[in-house]
Every structure is written in C-alpha cells, then in structure tokens.
Amino acid sequence: MYRYFIQPQLDKINNSLIGYELLMKKYTTDGWRPPQHFSDIPAKIIAETLVATTKQLALKIGSVSVNLNRTQLMDSQIDEAIIRSQMQLRPVKLVVELTEEPGDEHWRTEQLLPMIENFTIRCMEVSLDDVGTGENQLAHIEPLIPYATEIKFALQDFTTSFQMSAMQQKVIFWRDLAAKHNLRFILEGIEDATDDATANQLKINLRQGYYYGKPHLLKLQPDDPD
C-alpha cells in the first residue's frame, strides 16, 4: 500500500503557510517507510494515488508539490495523472519537483522540455529539487532554469552541519542563483531552532523541515493504518 504524506512549506518572514509537499511512502511490516528509490514505485500506483490524493485536497494555500524523477516525468500515465490532479486542485497550483535518481541518466534534458512545456502551459510549475547533490550540479540543471519557478536545497542530503561555514556557502550560492533568475528558493531540512536561526541570518524566507512540521499521512480510506 502506498500513500502520500504531506509536509508544510512556510514563509518564515511573513509567518505564513505557502504550500505542502507530497511525500510518497509504502506501508511495510515496520510501518510507513519511504522507498529507497522513487523509481521503484510502479507508474500506475503513482498515477492512481496522486489523483486520489489531490481529489481530497481542498486547501486554501498557494501550492501542492509532488516529486518526480526524469523517468517518471516521461511516463504518459503519470503525465495524465499530473494534468488531472492540477484540474482537481485549481485554484491551488501544482508544482512538479524534478529529482535525479539512478537510472535517469539516459533521459537527456532536451527530451524533458516538451513535457515540461506541456505542464507550464497548464499553469503548473517546475521546481529543481536537491540541487548541489549528485548529478544535480549547476552545469546539469542550467538548461532547465528558464523553465523553472523554484530551486530547493536539501540540508538533509549532506552530512556536514548547517552551522559549518562551508555548508552555509553552498546554501548562499544557490540562494543567490535563484535570486539572479527570479526563482523562489526553498531551504529544506530545517531540524531545530539552531537551523532556524541560521536560516534567519542567511535571510532565507522559504523553508521546510521537521522543525516546522513532520510529514503526516493523508488517508484515502478510513481503515488506512496510522
């Protein structure tokens, strides 16, 4: 059984909720667990669960974000589900967070662009997720920047503390790049008050992390396990 959990995204400066990220988990003998790779989830499951979930979301917020890797983005069944979900969510905006995973290497950026353009003409948005990690360096994502509205930097992807100068410089680089291209910049992985204070010092408004709210299950059936 697969279900989406939702986690809040905040504008800390204005003390307001700007949206939710949908995070897919699978129910196992050890409870709800995230998949090792999102590519392990069958496209049919993603499509059906996404449509059922967005049908229930009647949230007075700006956006709902969903993670897709390149392979999933190019799947026609998921593509149709994304479009249906946006229709159900209106006027709430659906944001596709594009992630990079093993197995996506054969999808060239130019192959993604028609699909991304198809989303944007339907008033959806694209977020470049997990920047600065793995293949997601500037040279790799630069061709996608003109089509994006958002960049996300995930502190949890690194073992270095956010309090270290080297990590702060990484965050500043991507913060400034987003500002240069007039993109939103969301810092995720804020775990405690110390991280929160550091984000204040770096003048980062948009944030996500356990400090502001852990992901919680959005049930599709009354008997879904907690």
Side-chain angles (χ1 to χ4, degrees):
M1 178 191 298
Y2 289 91
R3 291 291 184 268
Y4 278 111
F5 284 58
I6 62 175
Q7 186 176 31
Q9 299 172 328
L10 293 95
D11 182 334
K12 183 66 187 302
I13 302 304
N14 294 318
N15 195 31
S16 61
L17 177 69
I18 61 169
Y20 283 101
E21 179 179 359
L22 303 182
L23 303 163
M24 180 75 84
K25 293 188 179 183
K26 180 180 181 180
Y27 192 71
T28 71
T29 54
D30 296 320
W32 292 103
R33 295 291 184 271
Q36 183 177 4
H37 300 297
F38 285 101
S39 54
D40 296 337
I41 307 172
K44 185 175 186 292
I45 294 292
I46 294 174
E48 292 176 351
T49 308
L50 179 61
V51 169
T53 299
T54 53
K55 189 175 182 179
Q56 286 200 15
L57 288 174
L59 304 171
K60 295 181 179 180
I61 55 174
S63 66
V64 170
S65 300
V66 60
N67 289 275
L68 294 180
N69 59 38
R70 290 185 176 221
T71 301
Q72 293 165 341
L73 181 72
M74 298 301 293
D75 186 282
S76 60
Q77 192 171 22
I78 294 176
D79 175 42
E80 292 173 5
I82 289 287
I83 294 171
R84 283 184 60 193
S85 294
Q86 176 61 93
M87 293 175 65
Q88 291 177 158
L89 283 167
R90 286 178 181 163
V92 175
K93 192 177 294 293
L94 184 65
V95 180
V96 176
E97 295 191 8
L98 185 59
T99 64
E100 301 287 337
E101 287 196 324
D104 285 345
E105 297 83 2
H106 63 287
W107 290 113
R108 301 186 309 277
T109 297
E110 55 266 28
Q111 292 176 282
L112 307 182
L113 297 184
M115 192 69 72
I116 290 174
E117 290 174 343
N118 190 34
F119 289 162
T120 57
I121 63 175
R122 288 172 168 80
C123 298
M124 290 179 270
E125 296 185 352
V126 174
S127 173
L128 304 179
D129 198 8
D130 298 324
V131 294
T133 60
E135 293 293 319
N136 250 10
Q137 305 302 323
L138 179 58
H140 185 64
I141 69 166
E142 199 162 22
L144 292 170
I145 288 177
Y147 302 90
T149 57
E150 177 183 285
I151 286 176
K152 292 187 75 177
F153 186 97
L155 293 172
Q156 68 268 24
D157 289 343
F158 297 85
T159 57
T160 307
S161 168
F162 188 28
Q163 314 317 313
M164 300 295 291
S165 175
M167 178 55 67
Q168 293 178 24
Q169 289 305 312
K170 289 179 184 292
V171 173
I172 289 169
F173 171 82
W174 290 102
R175 179 202 68 185
D176 292 350
L177 181 77
K180 177 183 177 181
H181 293 280
N182 296 313
L183 307 179
R184 294 189 303 273
F185 178 73
I186 297 183
L187 183 64
E188 57 178 326
I190 304 290
E191 301 296 300
D192 52 36
T194 303
D195 287 346
D196 182 63
T198 303
N200 287 342
Q201 293 170 7
L202 299 183
K203 298 181 180 179
I204 296 169
N205 294 1
L206 307 183
R207 309 178 197 176
Q208 182 179 338
Y210 279 18
Y211 183 65
Y212 311 114
K214 294 183 178 181
H216 63 273
L217 173 65
L218 188 67
K219 291 188 175 185
L220 298 182
Q221 303 292 338
D223 59 349
D224 281 352
D226 293 320

